[in-house]
Amino acid sequence: MKDTNEKILDAWVQLIMAVNSERLVTDMPFNEAVICNLLYRNKDLKMTATDLCEITGMQKSQMNRTLTAMESKDIIIRQRSNSDKRVIYISLNLNKIDDYQNMHHNILSIVDKLA
């Protein structure tokens, strides 16, 4: 078990150093990149700000600030539920998805180097 933990720790350190040295997410703050990743990987699901808070551990106020900034940059779209007007779904703007896909593929190439 100790050997496995050491390998995981080593991989984690290498990943952090690689991501930091490559500056792969310079076009957006870290929280925005995390939210984009979640929305991108779960594009078939209807996700709310509450869902994103639960997954990321962000506080609602922080999430709302981040989503507002992302919406002003046209990265995301907020859409009210037809059945319950209190529910707002968050999705990536399809016109901007190519920008995130490029960043996503760059990050995966770094991860591939660690494998």
Side-chain angles (χ1 to χ4, degrees), residues 28-36 52 56 58-73 75-76 78 90:
M28 66 177 56
F30 178 76
N31 287 342
E32 290 182 18
V34 168
I35 292 168
C36 280
L52 294 170
T56 62
M58 277 190 227
Q59 294 181 346
K60 284 190 176 193
S61 59
Q62 183 181 21
M63 181 62 69
N64 284 330
R65 278 192 308 275
T66 303
L67 292 176
T68 298
M70 293 174 76
E71 187 176 35
S72 71
K73 297 175 192 175
I75 297 171
I76 62 160
R78 296 185 197 200
I90 313 295

Side-chain angles (χ1 to χ4, degrees), residues 6-79:
E6 291 292 334
K7 288 179 183 178
I8 292 170
L9 177 60
D10 186 46
W12 178 72
V13 169
Q14 287 181 31
L15 179 61
I16 288 175
M17 290 185 330
V19 169
N20 283 338
S21 68
E22 294 288 334
R23 301 280 183 223
L24 295 174
V25 292
T26 56
D27 293 342
M28 66 177 56
F30 178 76
N31 287 342
E32 290 182 18
V34 168
I35 292 168
C36 280
N37 179 268
L38 288 168
L39 294 173
Y40 181 74
R41 289 187 3 233
N42 297 291
K43 51 188 165 244
D44 296 333
L45 300 176
K46 292 186 174 190
M47 300 191 80
T48 65
T50 301
D51 296 330
L52 294 170
C53 284
E54 289 174 3
I55 295 168
T56 62
M58 277 190 227
Q59 294 181 346
K60 284 190 176 193
S61 59
Q62 183 181 21
M63 181 62 69
N64 284 330
R65 278 192 308 275
T66 303
L67 292 176
T68 298
M70 293 174 76
E71 187 176 35
S72 71
K73 297 175 192 175
D74 290 328
I75 297 171
I76 62 160
I77 296 171
R78 296 185 197 200
Q79 185 175 27

